Amino acid sequence: MSKPLEGFRILDFTQFMSGPMCTLLLSDFGAEVIKIENPPLGDATRYGAIVDNGVSGHFATRNRGKKSIVMNMKDEKQKELFLELLKTADAVVENYKPGTMEKFGLSFEKMQEVNPKIVLTSISGYGQEGPYASHGAFDQTIQAESGVMSVTGFPGTDPVKCGVPIADYCGGLCGCIGTLMAMLEAQRTGHGRHVDVSMMDAMIFCLENSMTTYLRNGVIPEQTGNGYASSAPIGAYKCRDGVPLMISVSTDSLWQSFCRAVDRPDWAADESLATMTQRANRRAEVDAMVAELFSHYDSEELARRMQEAKMVYGKVNNLAAVAEHPQVAFRKTMVNASYPNGVSFTVPGSPILMSGMERQMEYEAVPLGYNTIEVLKEVADEDKVHEIFDPVLKNVEETIKTRYGK
Amino acid sequence: MSKPLEGFRILDFTQFMSGPMCTLLLSDFGAEVIKIENPPLGDATRYGAIVDNGVSGHFATRNRGKKSIVMNMKDEKQKELFLELLKTADAVVENYKPGTMEKFGLSFEKMQEVNPKIVLTSISGYGQEGPYASHGAFDQTIQAESGVMSVTGFPGTDPVKCGVPIADYCGGLCGCIGTLMAMLEAQRTGHGRHVDVSMMDAMIFCLENSMTTYLRNGVIPEQTGNGYASSAPIGAYKCRDGVPLMISVSTDSLWQSFCRAVDRPDWAADESLATMTQRANRRAEVDAMVAELFSHYDSEELARRMQEAKMVYGKVNNLAAVAEHPQVAFRKTMVNASYPNGVSFTVPGSPILMSGMERQMEYEAVPLGYNTIEVLKEVADEDKVHEIFDPVLKNVEETIKTRYGK
């Protein structure tokens, strides 16, 4: 069955996390993504923590389904072939430090001269220009700088980052959105755009609720733990078996249903607890009541009651429970990524399903430079490609062997 | 200057957070988004916390730039006009509980009969089908169920959610991506798709790093506070003025630069601290050394030294500091959303900038049903539209007045 982006070609200069997650989604849905890596070592995540037989699980997760070519953009002959490849492409995605593509002589203007419909997407910590453009950025420093940490954690504790690198991921997702929008336009007009995504802005977009509140009332938002300012009980309460259950009793009718579900008609009848505001104002008291009540029930029993009463609740799962979650199994969220050497990793698949397209379960992840000759001989004489790239590929092989013993 | 999605029309059944953020991005970049709200009250966020003169700041943030019409899908005459409108649209986006659109008689198949190129995007907690499809879901219950909470917070403390509703936002961003992909295909094939985004899968996509590690080595990932398992020092350390500074010394060359920046040649020369693994294994010790050192410097001084040494660092800002951040000012991240009654809110703008398009600074947010007649008279006889909708709009006005006194 066909995929929506079949026929589109993406040239992918991204590395680490934010950029690769952007082009992964394009690849998952049919675009041909050609990852261009700098020889002799390429994307550093190829040599990270989870490595088996010289191939990396983290690299496979983020780069499954993509082709890999090596290219040194500071070498004129190699760059010349890149410009040929550029003529055949729809978009270029990069997450270098701002200014790097220009140093390669590959400004958006230059690319447009070669291919007017090309879209260039740049993902960075703070954006391509401005007083912070030159600041280095990793996920955790953007979580700090953007204010995400200031609202995360229990009240009275030190600010803490989200355990998930959300600045990286949201940067990648926004990069994907910008790329697709500009590609949609280029289909009609023949002209691309330069898309400039900042992880900082992506976090502020996600902070809109707190930020709009602050800009209106001037009260600096604080950490709320697992609760919300607007109502109670909202939070994770421990059950008799020690397992916490997250409940969100965020409306007045949910409060009535909740009281029925836990057999507390006295709470339901208490007029001093009837509204969101009343319960929010007595949060500590309400939290203590619910915590005491939950301590008498096992979590399975409470989950069953919550489900029967159509409450909004969730188990506080660890990743072992998530990997075995019935809904994850049903949606086939986990897929396989295998390298040509036979090593295979189970990894999370795409969060998007589409009609007319079964979930793809098997992907290939490839070693550095694996598709160099095959891809480039399409745009240049094969002998010439071999002449330029055979020595480069040989050096890649030897350097990796020397450095990592494979 | 033109925007990339000009000429596209989106019918928007979304409410609360995830869906509106998806269609907001489409609207920001030129699509005409017509929000279809159920009379007499519409999207509940119109009546939330930050309300001034009967209009809401949170609603404005997520729905600025969109049109609003009221329509009761259970009324055959009103639904008939919806089907006329559907013929003129490119995509429908909804975030009802799975099954709701079918109850309206608006399955994807039915919509395709009316308009084969239509894209239908459904955003939900767990997906449109499967054992959890009927489970209610809010951001915090998905953060619990997906495992995000299990890796967030300081080691040894209770699991805690990210203070930002990332399940909602990532669900919205993924919905936007799916919509654009299917629209891109429909441009070429004339056929749309049903896009099914699950907030649970979106969180697992963002957990890929930890999940791939767990699936390979079977060790359940734990909370890491502000650090990372792979190296040290990574974290927020308090300076003399009490202000924490987030640093990420995640490579061995950054460690050398860091030691120079803080005048500690002895640390740089210590061969037992030279590699990421060595420092990760002695994390507690390294953390204590850095904490002690930082306690002797003011945060401004340290930030200056970090910037000069090209380190990757960030201030742990609260939202007041973010609102006044030099890069936020430079990129004009904050924009205005004004209602026709003159009330205006300052709100975060789009995280994406594009060449050939200045940041739009002024947006309109509209009251419930504001564009009903204007939009529908385009697809039906004006007298008929008035006949059907004048009583509906009158009832909207009266109900809001009765309920909220405006």
Side-chain angles (χ1 to χ4, degrees):
Chain A
M1 277 178 288
S2 70
K3 297 179 177 179
L5 300 185
E6 274 167 20
F8 289 101
R9 173 174 275 185
I10 314 293
L11 304 182
D12 177 8
F13 282 99
T14 69
Q15 49 196 327
F16 301 113
M17 208 174 264
S18 63
M21 294 308 272
C22 163
T23 55
L24 178 63
L25 284 167
L26 301 173
S27 166
D28 274 356
F29 290 94
E32 180 195 25
V33 174
I34 300 170
K35 186 171 171 102
I36 302 176
E37 296 176 78
N38 199 35
L41 288 171
D43 189 338
T45 62
R46 287 185 176 278
Y47 315 100
I50 307 296
V51 174
D52 182 349
N53 246 303
V55 292
S56 153
H58 293 148
F59 182 86
T61 310
R62 299 174 205 143
N63 297 284
R64 59 187 161 76
K66 302 177 190 173
K67 294 178 178 172
S68 168
I69 72 175
V70 281
M71 232 177 205
N72 177 356
M73 287 297 140
K74 291 175 184 160
D75 177 301
E76 281 307 316
K77 277 188 190 164
Q78 294 182 41
K79 200 171 85 179
E80 213 170 88
L81 289 195
F82 169 76
L83 293 175
E84 288 305 313
L85 201 55
L86 186 63
K87 292 177 187 165
T88 69
D90 296 281
V92 173
V93 184
E94 62 95 8
N95 65 342
Y96 284 118
K97 223 175 189 192
T100 306
M101 293 301 282
E102 285 79 2
K103 271 188 207 152
F104 293 157
L106 293 173
S107 66
F108 177 58
E109 292 67 30
K110 169 71 184 172
M111 289 192 200
Q112 270 204 312
E113 279 170 28
V114 176
N115 179 355
K117 81 164 190 295
I118 202 76
V119 171
L120 170 62
T121 297
S122 299
I123 304 169
S124 63
Y126 296 98
Q128 297 300 301
E129 295 178 90
Y132 273 59
S134 70
H135 282 231
F138 289 141
D139 174 79
Q140 62 269 34
T141 61
I142 297 291
Q143 288 204 39
E145 195 87 28
S146 66
V148 170
M149 283 176 59
S150 75
V151 296
T152 301
F154 293 102
T157 64
D158 283 339
V160 68
K161 67 179 171 60
C162 175
V164 170
I166 55 167
D168 271 329
Y169 294 124
C170 291
L173 294 174
C174 289
C176 189
I177 288 169
T179 307
L180 289 164
M181 284 175 173
M183 278 167 61
L184 245 177
E185 183 185 35
Q187 285 278 101
R188 301 191 294 175
T189 64
H191 287 276
R193 302 219 190 211
H194 186 187
V195 174
D196 170 6
V197 168
S198 128
M199 286 156 62
M200 176 81 166
D201 281 358
M203 288 296 90
I204 295 171
F205 186 74
C206 292
L207 279 157
E208 51 90 12
N209 195 18
S210 314
M211 184 57 93
T212 302
T213 304
Y214 164 68
L215 290 172
R216 195 67 183 182
N217 67 17
V219 181
I220 300 171
E222 296 182 347
Q223 297 160 297
T224 53
N226 287 318
Y228 268 94
S230 57
S231 189
I234 298 177
Y237 303 88
K238 266 189 200 135
C239 305
R240 183 165 58 190
D241 50 11
V243 177
L245 198 69
M246 173 67 98
I247 58 167
S248 182
V249 184
S250 45
T251 69
D252 297 335
S253 66
L254 280 174
W255 171 245
Q256 292 299 322
S257 309
F258 176 74
C259 295
R260 267 196 304 278
V262 296
D263 300 327
R264 292 304 297 252
D266 52 324
W267 293 0
D270 186 341
E271 283 187 9
S272 74
L273 292 172
T275 72
M276 289 168 65
T277 310
Q278 286 173 323
R279 294 190 304 280
N281 289 341
R282 292 166 64 187
R283 179 185 318 285
E285 204 180 328
V286 171
D287 278 347
M289 283 159 56
V290 174
E292 207 280 324
L293 184 136
F294 273 33
S295 72
H296 297 292
Y297 292 92
D298 282 341
S299 56
E300 288 297 331
E301 160 73 9
L302 272 175
R304 191 184 57 71
R305 287 179 179 233
M306 293 298 125
Q307 180 61 11
E308 277 171 16
K310 301 195 176 181
M311 301 298 298
V312 182
Y313 72 98
K315 293 184 193 165
V316 182
N317 288 323
N318 63 26
L319 293 202
V322 174
E324 307 214 322
H325 196 284
Q327 188 70 6
V328 169
F330 179 87
R331 272 175 84 87
K332 300 178 179 165
T333 302
M334 303 301 167
V335 302
N336 295 312
S338 304
Y339 284 93
N341 70 357
V343 176
S344 173
F345 295 91
T346 304
V347 304
S350 160
I352 306 167
L353 294 180
M354 286 205 195
S355 61
M357 183 185 152
E358 288 291 309
R359 163 86 77 189
Q360 183 179 337
M361 299 304 294
E362 301 292 336
Y363 289 87
E364 189 176 49
V366 299
L368 180 59
Y370 190 73
N371 312 92
T372 307
I373 306 295
E374 160 207 340
V375 165
L376 292 176
K377 79 183 188 194
E378 191 198 301
V379 294
D381 176 70
E382 188 168 350
D383 289 342
K384 191 179 159 190
V385 173
H386 275 292
E387 194 188 309
I388 301 174
F389 284 96
D390 281 355
V392 178
L393 289 166
K394 192 154 178 261
N395 184 43
V396 163
E397 199 184 330
E398 284 170 358
T399 309
I400 295 177
K401 197 176 281 170
T402 308
R403 186 79 70 96
Y404 299 99
K406 295 282 168 193
Chain B
M1 278 179 290
S2 70
K3 297 180 178 179
L5 300 185
E6 274 168 18
F8 289 101
R9 173 175 275 186
I10 314 293
L11 304 182
D12 178 7
F13 281 99
T14 69
Q15 49 195 327
F16 302 114
M17 208 174 263
S18 63
M21 294 309 273
C22 163
T23 55
L24 178 64
L25 284 166
L26 301 173
S27 166
D28 274 355
F29 290 94
E32 180 195 24
V33 175
I34 300 169
K35 187 172 171 102
I36 302 175
E37 297 177 76
N38 198 35
L41 289 170
D43 189 337
T45 62
R46 287 185 176 277
Y47 314 99
I50 308 296
V51 175
D52 182 349
N53 247 304
V55 292
S56 153
H58 293 147
F59 183 86
T61 310
R62 298 173 205 144
N63 297 285
R64 60 186 160 76
K66 302 176 190 174
K67 294 177 177 171
S68 168
I69 71 176
V70 280
M71 233 179 205
N72 178 355
M73 287 297 140
K74 290 176 185 161
D75 177 301
E76 282 307 317
K77 277 187 188 162
Q78 295 182 40
K79 200 171 87 181
E80 214 170 87
L81 289 194
F82 169 76
L83 294 175
E84 289 305 312
L85 200 56
L86 186 64
K87 291 178 187 165
T88 69
D90 296 281
V92 173
V93 184
E94 61 96 6
N95 66 343
Y96 285 116
K97 224 176 189 190
T100 305
M101 294 302 281
E102 285 79 2
K103 272 189 207 153
F104 293 158
L106 293 174
S107 66
F108 177 58
E109 292 66 31
K110 170 70 185 174
M111 289 192 200
Q112 269 203 312
E113 278 170 28
V114 175
N115 178 355
K117 81 163 191 295
I118 201 76
V119 171
L120 170 62
T121 296
S122 300
I123 304 169
S124 63
Y126 295 98
Q128 296 300 301
E129 294 179 89
Y132 273 59
S134 69
H135 282 231
F138 288 142
D139 174 80
Q140 61 271 33
T141 61
I142 296 291
Q143 288 204 39
E145 195 88 27
S146 67
V148 169
M149 283 176 58
S150 76
V151 295
T152 301
F154 293 102
T157 63
D158 283 339
V160 67
K161 68 180 170 61
C162 175
V164 170
I166 55 167
D168 271 328
Y169 294 124
C170 290
L173 294 174
C174 289
C176 189
I177 289 170
T179 307
L180 289 164
M181 284 175 173
M183 278 167 60
L184 202 41
E185 183 185 34
Q187 286 278 102
R188 300 192 295 177
T189 64
H191 287 276
R193 303 219 190 212
H194 185 187
V195 174
D196 169 7
V197 167
S198 127
M199 285 156 62
M200 175 82 166
D201 281 358
M203 287 297 90
I204 295 171
F205 185 73
C206 292
L207 279 158
E208 52 88 14
N209 196 18
S210 314
M211 184 57 92
T212 302
T213 304
Y214 164 68
L215 290 171
R216 195 67 183 181
N217 67 16
V219 180
I220 299 170
E222 295 181 347
Q223 296 158 298
T224 54
N226 287 319
Y228 267 95
S230 57
S231 190
I234 298 177
Y237 304 88
K238 268 191 197 131
C239 305
R240 184 165 56 191
D241 50 11
V243 177
L245 198 68
M246 172 67 96
I247 58 167
S248 181
V249 184
S250 44
T251 69
D252 297 335
S253 67
L254 280 174
W255 171 244
Q256 292 298 323
S257 309
F258 176 74
C259 296
R260 268 196 304 279
V262 295
D263 300 326
R264 292 304 298 251
D266 53 325
W267 292 359
D270 186 341
E271 285 188 8
S272 74
L273 291 173
T275 72
M276 289 167 64
T277 311
Q278 286 173 324
R279 295 190 303 280
N281 289 341
R282 293 166 62 187
R283 179 185 318 284
E285 204 181 328
V286 172
D287 278 347
M289 283 158 56
V290 174
E292 207 280 323
L293 185 137
F294 273 33
S295 72
H296 297 291
Y297 292 92
D298 282 341
S299 56
E300 287 296 332
E301 161 73 8
L302 272 174
R304 192 185 56 72
R305 287 177 180 234
M306 293 299 123
Q307 180 61 9
E308 277 171 16
K310 300 193 179 187
M311 300 299 298
V312 182
Y313 70 99
K315 293 185 194 165
V316 182
N317 288 323
N318 63 26
L319 293 202
V322 174
E324 306 212 324
H325 196 283
Q327 188 70 5
V328 169
F330 179 87
R331 273 175 83 87
K332 300 178 179 165
T333 301
M334 303 301 167
V335 302
N336 294 311
S338 305
Y339 285 92
N341 70 357
V343 176
S344 172
F345 295 90
T346 304
V347 304
S350 160
I352 306 168
L353 294 181
M354 286 205 195
S355 61
M357 182 183 150
E358 288 290 312
R359 164 85 78 189
Q360 183 179 337
M361 299 305 294
E362 300 292 336
Y363 289 87
E364 189 176 50
V366 299
L368 181 59
Y370 190 73
N371 311 92
T372 308
I373 305 296
E374 161 208 338
V375 166
L376 292 176
K377 78 182 188 193
E378 191 198 301
V379 295
D381 176 70
E382 188 168 350
D383 288 341
K384 190 179 160 190
V385 174
H386 275 292
E387 194 188 310
I388 301 175
F389 284 96
D390 282 354
V392 177
L393 289 166
K394 190 153 180 263
N395 185 42
V396 163
E397 200 183 328
E398 285 170 0
T399 309
I400 294 176
K401 196 175 283 170
T402 308
R403 186 80 69 97
Y404 299 99
K406 295 280 170 193

